[in-house]
Amino acid sequence: YFNNAQEIDLLFSYAHSWRGSHTQDFYKLNNSQIRVILPDYNESHILNELSIRFNMTQENLKENIKDAERFFINLSNSTNNNIKIYMLKIPILFTYYRFGKIGIITTYSHLRQRKAPIPIFVFEKNGFLFDLFANEYNNLIQDSNLTRELEF
């Protein structure tokens, strides 16, 4: 999905394993626009809800989110990609990836197991799901009551 993707939108809690699997893909990008939405670790209600959902301490969750934040700041400082990071003031309900004309959604399991099976939906531009999630993503970024852009 990374090949020739000039616009990438990401919405996830921290995606430690996924980022690790795709570190080289990120560093191969050239002149791409990357927008990332992460949970705002300064919001205690988010840490509370997500720590319960992921069955981890709030401290570990906060550090995982900060690790994702550092990853994209370092990527921005090391490449010629335009990277923007937004902090979401409400809990994340799903994970979203958009690579140009391809969108991907994954859900969270309620089972609180690290390796619980979850569905992954892949869809293309100009379809209902692509438009639905792309619009939701753009609305989150544009609503200052829901997100704040991280300055770095």
Side-chain angles (χ1 to χ4, degrees), residues 23 35 38 57 75 85 136 142 147:
T23 298
R35 301 184 303 176
L38 298 169
T57 67
L75 182 66
I85 302 171
E136 174 133 351
Q142 293 168 5
T147 57

Side-chain angles (χ1 to χ4, degrees), residues 49 52-54 93 107-113 116-118:
E49 181 172 329
I52 292 168
R53 183 184 304 167
F54 299 140
L93 301 177
T107 61
Y108 293 110
S109 172
H110 292 91
L111 298 180
R112 295 178 45 171
Q113 299 170 355
I118 56 170

Side-chain angles (χ1 to χ4, degrees), residues 4-54:
N4 303 316
Q6 292 301 301
E7 295 178 343
I8 297 174
D9 290 337
L10 304 169
L11 167 68
F12 47 64
S13 294
Y14 53 87
H16 179 76
S17 298
W18 183 83
R19 283 184 293 110
S21 298
H22 295 288
T23 298
Q24 290 183 4
D25 295 321
F26 277 110
Y27 279 92
K28 289 179 186 176
L29 293 171
N30 188 26
N31 290 321
S32 293
Q33 174 186 306
I34 303 170
R35 301 184 303 176
V36 182
I37 299 177
L38 298 169
D40 191 337
Y41 50 78
N42 293 321
E43 298 286 340
S44 61
H45 71 281
I46 291 176
L47 290 177
N48 185 52
E49 181 172 329
L50 293 180
S51 67
I52 292 168
R53 183 184 304 167
F54 299 140

